[in-house]
Every structure is written in structure tokens, then in C-alpha cells.
């Protein structure tokens, strides 16, 4: 019975060099293959044109490249591009290219589905099936970089881990993927242009700080009142705001890096003056900024975008308290742009 071929991208550069030596070849051949895999994002061994046909056949006999495939793409009238990405085992995740006048941003997934239960999120309707491997995360970024070059004539400028899944519940693979994305031997994107967004797992936020990561941290907050937050995000009952506050203070003490709070304002849920004042108080703990996000509905009436007056109240009171606030308008309204919508359709 033939053994299953190993995904070659699971090997380090050192392991690739050692493999070639064991096959009676030169160690530098491993460097060449590594460059094709990561810097050039080769989809197949046939792409490796500076390597002999005999060597490519040997690689084909021993390994596979489990590359992603963009199975379905939607383009919005505002320029947003949404990909349904098929993995080697047939499962689907999503990635999005978000263009503005000055930059293009990739929003990528870290898990197939999600094990958390945020009531407003389409991805929460998909059970968590598995974590993504580092190469599968890397491939999403590489694919969107190609789309950025094709449609906007410049390289990808920013990356946000705000797609499907909770990145900090796939901690090791996410960090390995970021290492490849930022490496000069990979895509060479600065870690300062990468933001990892978490729903707020205090233990893992502290681990990020201890590991001295260089990328930015965002927290999906949505309420600074425990009772309200646990209604919106039931899992957060196990992670009360006092624990989240402590972990963020630890993060800032270690990294001196400002945190971004992602915050959707919903009608009748968190659009009161009490909710605004609670957010102001929470923002005073460490240097931060707030992104108020326009809600992209997921086909039911439980969560509705708050009216403009509530948004204006948030902005004016936050600014009055010297808190940086930005409004993020919803993109891709004419396509399935809410996280998890396209995968729900494809699954």
C-alpha cells in the first residue's frame, strides 16, 4: 500500500536541503525549491523552471503542494473582491480584497468555520471543522496580492485576520503563516501592516505579548457592559471584561502597541448613552482607537444597524474624551460580503 505523499510546504528550508543531500543532490537545490514555494508561490512542481525535469519528477513522486484554489469570486461595484477558497480536502473558506484610494487590504480566514458563537456572525452558523495550516493562510494572502496587482496595478499593502475563525484559537499556525508572509523569503510584507483580530481571549492575548509579536492587535468588543456583551457573544461569559482589561494592560505594558477596538452599533442593543459611557471608560485603560463598523446584515432581523444619530453620539462623545474614532463603512453590499455568507452558500 502506497504511503500518502507529504505536503512539501510542511518542510523547513533546512529539511529541504537535507532531503536533497539524502537523494545525492546538492543542498542548494533545497534553497531553490524553497524560493519557488514561498517567494514565487508555485502551484506545482512543473512551475519550477530552473530545476531539471528529472528533479521535478522526483519531487512529484515524493511530495504534493496542497495549494488553495479560488473556487468562486464575486466583484462588488465598489471594487471589493470576495473569494470562496477551496482547500485540498474540498472545504471552503473566504478571503476578501478591500481596495481604497491609497491601499489594498486582504482580509483572510484562519479556520474552517468557527467554534465561537457570536450571534451576529454568519461564520458562527458554520461549525468549526478544522484549523487552517500556515500554507493555506499564506496562499490566501498570495492570491489576493495577485488580484491586487491584476485589478489595481499595485501590491497588497495591508492584511487583517478578520475572516472566518478565531485566529488565537489557531495560534501556532497563524504565527507561522505571518512569519512566512513577513519574511524576505516569502512576501516581505511588514508586520506593522498586519492586524490580528480576536474576539477577546485573555490568556492568548498575554501569550502574544510574551512572544513579542510585531503585528497589530484588534479586539472585537461591541460592548463594554458584560451582560450585553455576553448576549451578543455568549462565549464571552467565560471571559469577563475585567479579565480582558487585565490582558490588554499586560499587552500594552509589554509591547507599547495601541489596541484597536472593533465595534458595531446595533439598534436597541448597544446604542444607548449607557453603552457609550461604558465604552469610554474601557478605552481609558490603555492607549487605543475605536473602529465603528457599519453592520452587514446576515438575513435576519435580530441585529439591525443603529440609526445615524446613535453613530454620531458615539463619535462626538469618544472624540470629546480624546479617543481616536474611525467609521468603517460596509463594503461589498451588493455581494455576499459579511464574513461567512459566501461559505454558507457554498457549503
Amino acid at each position: 500500500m502506497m504511503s500518502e505523499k507529504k505536503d512539501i510546504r510542511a518542510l523547513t528550508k533546512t529539511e529541504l536541503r537535507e532531503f536533497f543531500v539524502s537523494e545525492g543532490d546538492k543542498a542548494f537545490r533545497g534553497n531553490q525549491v524553497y524560493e519557488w514555494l514561498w517567494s514565487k508561490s508555485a502551484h506545482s512542481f512543473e512551475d519550477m523552471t530552473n530545476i531539471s525535469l528529472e528533479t521535478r519528477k522526483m519531487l512529484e513522486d515524493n511530495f504534493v503542494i496542497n495549494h488553495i484554489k479560488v473556487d468562486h469570486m464575486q466583484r462588488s461595484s465598489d471594487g471589493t473582491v470576495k473569494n470562496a477558497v477551496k482547500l485540498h480536502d474540498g472545504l471552503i473558506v473566504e478571503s476578501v480584497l478591500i481596495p481604497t484610494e491609497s491601499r489594498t487590504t486582504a482580509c483572510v480566514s484562519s479556520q474552517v468555520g468557527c467554534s465561537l458563537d457570536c450571534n451576529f456572525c454568519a461564520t458562527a452558523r458554520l461549525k468549526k471543522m478544522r484549523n487552517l495550516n500556515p500554507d493555506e493562510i499564506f496562499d490566501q494572502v498570495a492570491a489576493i496580492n495577485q488580484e491586487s496587482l491584476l485589478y489595481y496595478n499595485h501590491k497588497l499593502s495591508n492584511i487583517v485576520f478578520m475572516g472566518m475563525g478565531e485566529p488565537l484559537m489557531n495560534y501556532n499556525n497563524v504565527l507561522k503563516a505571518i512569519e512566512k508572509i513577513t519574511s524576505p523569503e516569502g512576501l516581505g510584507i511588514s508586520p506593522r501592516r498586519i492586524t490580528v483580530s480576536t474576539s477577546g481571549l485573555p490568556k492568548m492575548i498575554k501569550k502574544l505579548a510574551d512572544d513579542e509579536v510585531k503585528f497589530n492587535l484588534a479586539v472585537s468588543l461591541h460592548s463594554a457592559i458584560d451582560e450585553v456583551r455576553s448576549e451578543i457573544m455568549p462565549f464571552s461569559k467565560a471571559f469577563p471584561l475585567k479579565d480582558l482589561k487585565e490582558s490588554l494592560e499586560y499587552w500594552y505594558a509589554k509591547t507599547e502597541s495601541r489596541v484597536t477596538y472593533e465595534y458595531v452599533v446595533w439598534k436597541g442593543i448597544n446604542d444607548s448613552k449607557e453603552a457609550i459611557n461604558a465604552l469610554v471608560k474601557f478605552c481609558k485603560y490603555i492607549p487605543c482607537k475605536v473602529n465603528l463598523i457599519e453592520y452587514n446584515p446576515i438575513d435576519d432581523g435580530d441585529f439591525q444597524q443603529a440609526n445615524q444619530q446613535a453613530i454620531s453620539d458615539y463619535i462626538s462623545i469618544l472624540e470629546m474624551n480624546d479617543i481616536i474614532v474611525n467609521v468603517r463603512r460596509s463594503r461589498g453590499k451588493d455581494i455576499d460580503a459579511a464574513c461567512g455568507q459566501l461559505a454558507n452558500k457554498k457549503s
Side-chain angles (χ1 to χ4, degrees):
M1 186 174 175
M2 290 182 65
S3 60
E4 189 176 342
K5 294 180 188 177
K6 185 170 185 176
D7 187 343
I8 194 169
R9 289 188 296 175
L11 273 60
T12 65
K13 185 196 280 191
T14 299
E15 288 169 335
L16 271 173
R17 287 169 59 88
E18 290 171 351
F19 170 76
F20 277 101
V21 170
S22 73
E23 292 291 318
D25 206 335
K26 304 290 186 186
F28 80 88
R29 197 74 66 204
N31 298 358
Q32 288 180 306
V33 172
Y34 191 88
E35 182 182 10
W36 276 108
L37 293 173
W38 299 108
S39 183
K40 298 178 180 178
S41 196
H43 287 216
S44 72
F45 298 113
E46 289 180 8
D47 295 340
M48 301 178 181
T49 51
N50 65 343
I51 294 172
S52 71
L53 285 171
E54 183 184 1
T55 301
R56 280 183 263 167
K57 173 69 167 58
M58 182 269 291
L59 289 170
E60 192 81 51
D61 290 342
N62 285 277
F63 300 105
V64 293
I65 303 174
N66 285 329
H67 211 282
I68 66 163
K69 176 187 174 187
V70 177
D71 188 55
H72 182 69
M73 185 184 78
Q74 294 181 336
R75 289 190 71 190
S76 168
S77 58
D78 66 15
T80 302
V81 178
K82 184 147 191 177
N83 299 317
V85 173
K86 181 174 281 189
L87 308 175
H88 69 93
D89 55 5
L91 295 173
I92 299 286
V93 294
E94 298 171 355
S95 62
V96 184
L97 168 62
I98 307 165
T100 65
E101 288 183 7
S102 59
R103 65 187 186 182
T104 51
T105 298
C107 179
V108 298
S109 296
S110 56
Q111 296 178 308
V112 184
C114 187
S115 55
L116 301 184
D117 52 6
C118 302
N119 289 326
F120 58 87
C121 179
T123 305
R125 300 179 177 186
L126 298 164
K127 68 181 185 201
K128 181 199 162 186
M129 300 175 202
R130 69 171 176 87
N131 289 330
L132 293 187
N133 296 325
D135 53 278
E136 293 170 326
I137 297 169
F138 178 93
D139 284 351
Q140 292 175 72
V141 177
I144 292 178
N145 186 49
Q146 290 301 313
E147 290 172 345
S148 182
L149 288 165
L150 176 64
Y151 297 126
Y152 299 102
N153 204 32
H154 59 81
K155 290 181 179 179
L156 184 65
S157 54
N158 293 77
I159 302 166
V160 293
F161 281 76
M162 296 181 185
M164 296 170 62
E166 164 55 62
L168 300 193
M169 294 185 80
N170 186 16
Y171 189 93
N172 291 334
N173 287 351
V174 165
L175 263 61
K176 286 177 183 175
I178 291 174
E179 182 183 342
K180 289 282 193 280
I181 290 164
T182 57
S183 168
E185 296 180 314
L187 296 178
I189 295 174
S190 167
R192 291 300 177 194
R193 293 186 172 272
I194 298 174
T195 298
V196 172
S197 178
T198 174
S199 297
L201 308 178
K203 179 180 176 182
M204 302 313 293
I205 291 171
K206 288 182 176 179
K207 181 165 174 54
L208 283 176
D210 286 336
D211 286 343
E212 299 180 345
V213 299
K214 302 302 181 189
F215 51 77
N216 303 302
L217 178 65
V219 176
S220 186
L221 188 63
H222 309 306
S223 178
I225 300 171
D226 267 319
E227 295 75 18
V228 177
R229 191 164 190 265
S230 62
E231 282 293 317
I232 300 168
M233 308 159 78
F235 79 90
S236 69
K237 290 175 185 175
F239 307 106
L241 287 165
K242 66 178 179 61
D243 293 348
L244 179 59
K245 165 185 173 287
E246 181 193 348
S247 70
L248 292 170
E249 289 174 332
Y250 186 86
W251 159 270
Y252 187 76
K254 283 269 193 174
T255 67
E256 297 185 349
S257 179
R258 181 193 306 273
V259 172
T260 298
Y261 296 127
E262 307 288 350
Y263 200 101
V264 181
V265 186
W266 290 286
K267 183 178 179 181
I269 294 175
N270 59 351
D271 57 351
S272 66
K273 289 289 171 45
E274 179 191 11
I276 300 173
N277 291 334
L279 176 60
V280 168
K281 181 180 177 183
F282 198 84
C283 286
K284 296 288 188 180
Y285 297 133
I286 62 167
C288 65
K289 64 179 179 179
V290 175
N291 283 346
L292 296 177
I293 303 170
E294 185 177 7
Y295 185 56
N296 207 337
I298 58 170
D299 302 330
D300 58 40
D302 293 341
F303 290 86
Q304 298 175 25
Q305 176 71 25
N307 61 41
Q308 190 53 51
Q309 184 57 53
I311 304 297
S312 297
D313 289 345
Y314 264 97
I315 294 169
S316 61
I317 293 173
L318 286 166
E319 288 182 340
M320 200 184 311
N321 285 273
D322 297 320
I323 298 163
I324 299 168
V325 57
N326 300 298
V327 178
R328 296 284 184 250
R329 300 298 176 191
S330 181
R331 303 295 299 270
K333 289 184 179 181
D334 54 337
I335 60 176
D336 297 302
C339 181
Q341 281 187 335
L342 193 52
N344 265 306
K345 287 191 172 184
K346 297 295 288 183
S347 60

